[in-house]
Amino acid sequence: MRAVNAWLTVAVAAIGLALLAAGCTPKPESAQPDSGDEQPFLTIATGGASGPYDLIGGALAKVYHTQLGYKTAVRSSDGSVENVHLLESDKADVAFAMSDVASFALGGLESFQASGPAVHVKSIAGLYLNYVQIVTLKDRDIRSVYDLKGKRVGVGAPNSGVEVNARMILNEHGIAYKDIRPEYLSYAEAIEQLKNNAIDAAFVTSGLPNSAVLDLQATHDVAIVPILPEDIEKLTKRFAFFEKAQLPPGIYQNDEAIPTVAIRNILLVRSGMGDEQVYRLTKTFFENLDALQAAHEAAKQIDRQTAGKELVVPLHPGAAKYYAELARPQGQTP
């Protein structure tokens, strides 16, 4: 037995030396390369299974696999806050997030007070708007945000962008969590709880339309709680990432447009990823918008001409290279 063990030791050592000599020392796929290296495996952090992040992220993973040959994985999550933490801890390479959360992450504010400012994230592109949709049922007689006092309210999953802006919107209306019965639920969970009469309303901040809300209206009379124009004015003045918006007539069961606020989504990337790789990721993203639009209608709002402008998180140099090329007249070289 000792002779066999000795033989195995010599054989393993010989193989290792041969690999070193050939420059073929294997690296685990999970290891993150230094900036500038090509990374063959990409993890894309998305959101809840019923939301646009997950649908668009799944389509993007397929695009990166078929067009660029990367091994890709989609990591469903609780949303924006968790996604930033995943990038910061090298557990994701590309991630979706809302601008408010990204802004707080850079400043170490709100949900990032304990962890401190995010320093390893950059932007690839501005995406579509997430509309704040405060969903209830017509028989609950909730006609304004102020009527949420004393009610059971789904405020979003823990570590989600939904929960962050739900808290901000409630605070601007003079409502703290102690004034309601907050339930920390994902889109799908909140809609299920509305169906079961376990909650009275839910914040669903996403692109339009949200599939969970469409599912709810198939069996119930849905109502969307408006944000009053004077309150929208206060929100947009205090927080630069909020935009005045409307839910268009007929998007759910509404005859008229419903006033609300919206927040721009952004696609983030680990700052340590190589410039040329991020350039290819950005270019391939925009060259395959049709595949993303087929996954979810919200992706139709993505505009390559404005996607690199006015972002709360600075562009990755690789993404900046793509937008610089896009801005040059055709045929002109740098």
Side-chain angles (χ1 to χ4, degrees):
M1 179 62 72
R2 289 180 181 176
V4 172
N5 287 339
W7 181 86
L8 285 173
T9 301
V10 171
V12 169
I15 292 170
L17 288 170
L19 285 171
L20 284 170
C24 297
T25 306
K27 295 181 181 179
E29 283 188 347
S30 60
Q32 302 294 351
D34 295 332
S35 179
D37 289 349
E38 181 72 16
Q39 180 178 327
F41 189 93
L42 294 177
T43 297
I44 302 175
T46 59
S50 64
Y53 281 2
D54 207 48
L55 296 173
I56 297 172
L60 184 59
K62 186 175 181 180
V63 164
Y64 285 156
H65 175 66
T66 57
Q67 299 295 319
L68 297 175
Y70 297 130
K71 296 177 182 178
T72 55
V74 173
R75 178 162 180 166
S76 297
S77 73
D78 284 332
S80 299
V81 176
E82 183 181 355
N83 287 353
V84 172
H85 286 308
L86 289 172
L87 288 175
E88 283 286 285
S89 59
D90 285 347
K91 293 178 181 177
D93 307 296
V94 178
F96 292 78
M98 289 196 292
S99 288
D100 55 346
V101 170
S103 177
F104 292 144
L106 292 187
L109 305 172
E110 292 284 337
S111 302
F112 299 91
Q113 289 182 7
S115 59
V119 295
H120 299 300
V121 298
K122 295 293 183 188
S123 288
I124 286 182
L127 305 176
Y128 55 90
L129 291 176
N130 262 9
Y131 293 78
V132 174
Q133 302 155 70
I134 307 172
V135 184
T136 186
L137 301 177
K138 290 182 179 178
D139 62 7
R140 305 299 158 87
D141 198 32
I142 298 173
R143 302 181 184 279
S144 76
V145 178
Y146 298 100
D147 293 333
L148 294 175
K149 274 191 175 181
K151 300 293 195 298
R152 302 164 296 178
V153 182
V155 295
N159 291 326
S160 70
V162 178
E163 195 276 323
V164 170
N165 64 67
R167 191 159 13 97
M168 285 190 291
I169 289 168
L170 289 169
N171 285 341
E172 285 301 302
H173 288 78
I175 301 173
Y177 276 2
K178 64 181 177 60
D179 301 316
I180 63 172
R181 291 170 57 186
E183 298 288 345
Y184 298 89
L185 304 168
S186 68
Y187 296 148
E189 292 168 339
I191 295 306
E192 196 61 31
Q193 297 287 40
L194 273 171
K195 288 180 181 178
N196 297 334
N197 198 34
I199 61 173
D200 301 299
F203 280 82
V204 176
T205 303
S206 76
L208 297 177
N210 182 278
S211 59
V213 181
L214 291 176
D215 178 63
L216 177 65
Q217 75 171 16
T219 55
H220 293 72
D221 290 329
V222 170
I224 306 296
V225 181
I227 301 178
L228 300 178
E230 56 268 30
D231 294 318
I232 291 175
E233 195 70 27
K234 287 189 290 186
L235 281 165
T236 54
K237 281 184 177 179
R238 181 167 181 184
F239 302 105
F241 42 73
F242 277 131
E243 300 181 24
K244 297 178 183 178
Q246 290 185 330
L247 304 185
I251 190 70
Y252 297 121
Q253 294 172 339
N254 53 307
D255 295 328
E256 299 179 353
I258 301 171
T260 187
V261 290
I263 305 159
R264 196 181 193 194
N265 292 288
I266 50 179
L267 190 63
L268 300 173
V269 66
R270 284 191 306 104
S271 58
M273 193 176 292
D275 294 358
E276 285 305 309
Q277 183 165 15
V278 175
Y279 167 77
R280 286 192 292 276
L281 294 179
T282 309
K283 189 172 189 289
T284 303
F285 176 90
F286 286 106
E287 288 179 346
N288 293 272
L289 274 181
D290 56 341
L292 308 184
Q293 292 164 354
H296 197 282
E297 188 175 344
K300 293 178 181 178
Q301 294 181 30
I302 301 172
D303 181 0
R304 75 183 71 204
Q305 300 299 329
T306 60
K309 300 175 181 177
E310 298 180 5
L311 299 175
V312 298
V313 178
L315 283 169
H316 189 286
K321 176 183 175 182
Y322 170 78
Y323 294 114
E325 285 185 358
L326 194 66
R328 284 198 298 270
Q330 193 168 6
Q332 180 177 325
T333 55

